[in-house]
Amino acid sequence: RKEVEQDPGPFNVPEGATVAFNCTYSNSASQSFFWYRQDCRKEPKLLMSVYSSGNEDGRFTAQLNRASQYISLLIRDSKLSDSATYLCVVRGPSGSARQLTFGSGTQLTVLP
Amino acid sequence: DAGVTQSPTHLIKTRGQQVTLRCSPKSGHDTVSWYQQALGQGPQFIFQYYEEEERQRGNFPDRFSGHQFPNYSSELNVNALLLGDSALYLCASSLLAGTDTQYFGPGTRLTVL
């Protein structure tokens, strides 16, 4: 079993749609959780951290359920510029030197 | 404020050769991590350097080695290249005593023929 598993893509949605990505992680001692965005042939960039209380940044909402070891990302009113690969990322427990474990990514294409 | 820089941007090698990739961390950062990203996959952790020492290592063979210099910059060396080493190699920098945020460089795309 992979340490971080994401929805298989690709997701093709029309502009203005709401799209949700899901992710599960296997290590219950994981400390920190993130969503990164990666454009084609570019480096990953931090989209947002994910907290147990849930957090929102504009059109983006992230949720964490530690009991289920489940992370989600919701994008509302999607824009053409949201087209990218979204990577679910987990940092291991204390002492793991901030090693990040990435999912394989979910590709999103927003269509005009 | 310069971000993370990597060189070269692209590299083509043949099987059996050796390669050295370079990374300069974001200003003020003291920790460098290296990742390998194969096509269609997420990045995989290779190792991390802090205070010029390898602090943690992922599941990569000894052919992969690294170094960190006093100015916090880092090198990744890969010996006896295999076709399967073709990938995007990403460097990420962070501040050990700071937040979890790691900032990635643009990567070096290595092709092994």
Side-chain angles (χ1 to χ4, degrees):
Chain A
R1 181 186 173 190
K2 288 185 178 180
E3 289 188 59
V4 179
E5 296 204 57
Q6 294 187 237
D7 278 348
F11 282 58
N12 298 314
V13 302
E15 260 188 299
T18 296
V19 60
F21 302 139
N22 302 314
C23 168
T24 57
Y25 60 96
S26 61
N27 188 340
S28 60
S30 297
Q31 291 282 317
S32 306
F33 310 88
F34 312 91
W35 284 100
Y36 274 71
R37 169 196 169 126
Q38 187 171 27
D39 293 295
C40 187
R41 304 183 76 81
K42 299 284 190 181
E43 73 273 22
K45 292 186 178 177
L46 178 65
L47 179 66
M48 58 198 303
S49 300
V50 189
Y51 305 110
S52 296
S53 54
N55 48 303
E56 187 174 307
D57 182 2
R59 298 181 294 108
F60 299 83
T61 301
Q63 296 275 355
L64 166 65
N65 184 321
R66 284 187 182 268
S68 303
Q69 295 176 208
Y70 169 92
I71 307 163
S72 66
L73 176 68
L74 185 75
I75 305 176
R76 291 182 301 277
D77 188 24
S78 52
K79 312 291 185 191
L80 296 176
S81 57
D82 294 334
S83 297
T85 295
Y86 290 81
L87 296 159
C88 177
V89 186
V90 171
R91 184 175 76 78
S94 180
S96 64
R98 290 189 166 76
Q99 170 185 337
L100 299 180
T101 301
F102 286 76
S104 296
T106 302
Q107 186 179 346
L108 171 67
T109 302
V110 181
L111 304 168
Chain B
D1 179 21
V4 181
T5 60
Q6 291 185 244
S7 64
T9 54
H10 294 84
L11 205 50
I12 299 174
K13 293 285 189 177
T14 57
R15 281 178 295 176
Q17 284 189 310
Q18 178 265 342
V19 67
T20 297
L21 310 182
R22 296 176 177 83
C23 171
S24 290
K26 184 176 168 64
S27 178
H29 284 182
D30 56 12
T31 303
V32 173
S33 302
W34 287 92
Y35 295 81
Q36 180 196 65
Q37 186 174 23
L39 200 61
Q41 299 298 315
Q44 283 198 305
F45 176 75
I46 302 174
F47 43 53
Q48 184 183 84
Y49 278 85
Y50 171 69
E51 288 188 336
E52 302 179 49
E53 288 188 13
E54 182 183 295
R55 296 288 169 158
Q56 188 167 4
R57 189 178 185 92
N59 189 25
F60 279 81
D62 292 343
R63 297 187 298 108
F64 290 76
S65 63
H67 189 77
Q68 186 179 34
F69 299 94
N71 67 354
Y72 308 116
S73 67
S74 176
E75 288 183 350
L76 164 66
N77 301 292
V78 187
N79 295 322
L81 284 167
L82 304 173
L83 295 179
D85 294 332
S86 296
L88 179 67
Y89 287 85
L90 294 160
C91 166
S93 78
S94 55
L95 188 60
L96 193 71
T99 68
D100 290 319
T101 304
Q102 292 193 11
Y103 295 86
F104 284 83
T108 294
R109 190 163 298 278
L110 173 65
T111 302
V112 182
L113 302 176

